[in-house]
């Protein structure tokens, strides 16, 4: 049987930290679905369509990775798509508290397993929200994001383009 995992997130926008986790998951599973959670109450900087487009581009070199979006409970999405595991990155102790709670709750709900991978320390301090804040204020973000994300952020924040 096909072993399938999901890498869920907001991906607003994707960072090199996300990409590292996606690549590592793709080596462990037959198929990895990178899924963008749609939260109607939380309008991000990037439209869902743009987040998907960026993810498709940066994962194009990974043949067993596909990109999708979902709305509602992650466990329902997993059940509907025959996904046995949620694969995520763990940056810090503060990530851990929240991720452990969600992992336990999701397992209680449907039995879906969660794999928490120790992040690459190079990306330990990288998050979408810090990248957006630094970009908005004209700081250096190129080392933390894939080139297409740098381009898209430069369009939104002309200060970056220089
Ligand atoms: N290094 C390694 N991993 C990283 C890094 C980094 N620098 N940055 C992010 N990650 C990983 C983390 O594993 C993180 O969990 C994941 O990438 C996604 O990060 P974000 O910031 O894009 O996404 P979040 O944290 O906003 O996503 C939260 C979800 C949408 C996954 C979550 O809220 C969810 O599952 N919601 C659906 C509703 C639901 O089922 N709720 C009940 C939960 S019990």
């Amino acid at each position: 049987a096909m072993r399938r995992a999901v890498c869920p997130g907001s991906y607003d926008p994707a960072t090199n930290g996300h990409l590292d986790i996606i690549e590592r998951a793709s080596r462990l599973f037959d198929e990895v679905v990178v899924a963008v959670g749609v939260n109607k109450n939380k309008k991000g900087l990037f439209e869902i369509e743009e987040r998907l487009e960026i993810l498709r581009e940066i994962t194009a070199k990974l043949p067993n990775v596909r990109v999708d979006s979902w709305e509602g409970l992650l466990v329902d999405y997993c059940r509907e798509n025959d996904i046995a595991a949620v694969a995520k990155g763990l940056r810090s102790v503060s990530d851990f508290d929240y991720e452990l709670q969600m992992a336990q709750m999701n397992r209680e709900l449907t039995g879906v397993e969660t794999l928490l991978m120790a992040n690459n320390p190079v990306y330990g301090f990288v998050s979408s929200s810090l990248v957006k804040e630094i970009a908005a204020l004209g700081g250096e973000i190129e080392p933390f994001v894939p080139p297409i994300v740098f381009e898209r952020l430069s369009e939104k924040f002309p200060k970056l383009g220089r």
Side-chain angles (χ1 to χ4, degrees):
M2 181 88 124
R3 277 189 189 279
R4 202 176 274 120
V6 63
C7 290
S10 305
Y11 299 107
D12 184 38
T15 67
N16 289 338
H18 287 127
L19 190 53
D20 185 58
I21 293 297
I22 295 165
E23 279 170 358
R24 288 163 63 189
S26 77
R27 283 180 231 124
L28 294 174
F29 293 91
D30 298 320
E31 184 177 65
V32 167
V33 185
V34 180
V36 178
V38 178
N39 182 345
K40 290 242 167 74
N41 300 316
K42 207 170 135 191
K43 193 167 161 20
L45 177 64
F46 289 89
E47 299 294 336
I48 299 295
E49 258 323 306
E50 199 171 11
R51 297 182 213 177
L52 294 170
E53 200 184 309
I54 289 169
L55 284 166
R56 282 192 196 105
E57 170 155 334
I58 67 178
T59 61
K61 58 181 188 264
L62 303 168
N64 64 336
V65 171
R66 64 186 171 84
V67 173
D68 193 12
S69 63
W70 95 96
E71 200 177 339
L73 281 177
L74 180 61
V75 291
D76 288 339
Y77 179 77
C78 290
R79 194 157 42 190
E80 285 155 18
N81 292 275
D82 195 21
I83 291 167
V86 178
K88 293 184 128 189
L90 208 51
R91 284 167 294 186
S92 61
V93 175
S94 56
D95 271 0
F96 180 77
D97 278 342
Y98 183 51
E99 293 295 348
L100 180 66
Q101 187 183 12
M102 282 197 292
Q104 290 170 327
M105 180 56 91
N106 284 335
R107 186 158 187 275
E108 188 67 25
L109 290 173
T110 62
V112 72
E113 292 287 359
T114 296
L115 177 72
L116 298 175
M117 284 181 279
N119 88 307
N120 181 335
V122 169
Y123 306 123
F125 50 84
V126 177
S127 68
S128 301
S129 52
L130 283 184
V131 161
K132 282 183 283 191
E133 184 177 331
I134 295 164
L137 299 172
E140 182 68 60
I141 52 149
E142 222 166 345
F144 313 128
V145 294
I148 184 184
V149 174
F150 181 72
E151 264 169 49
R152 298 296 173 94
L153 282 167
S154 303
E155 288 163 15
K156 293 194 192 287
F157 304 112
K159 256 198 204 168
L160 272 182
R162 269 168 307 176

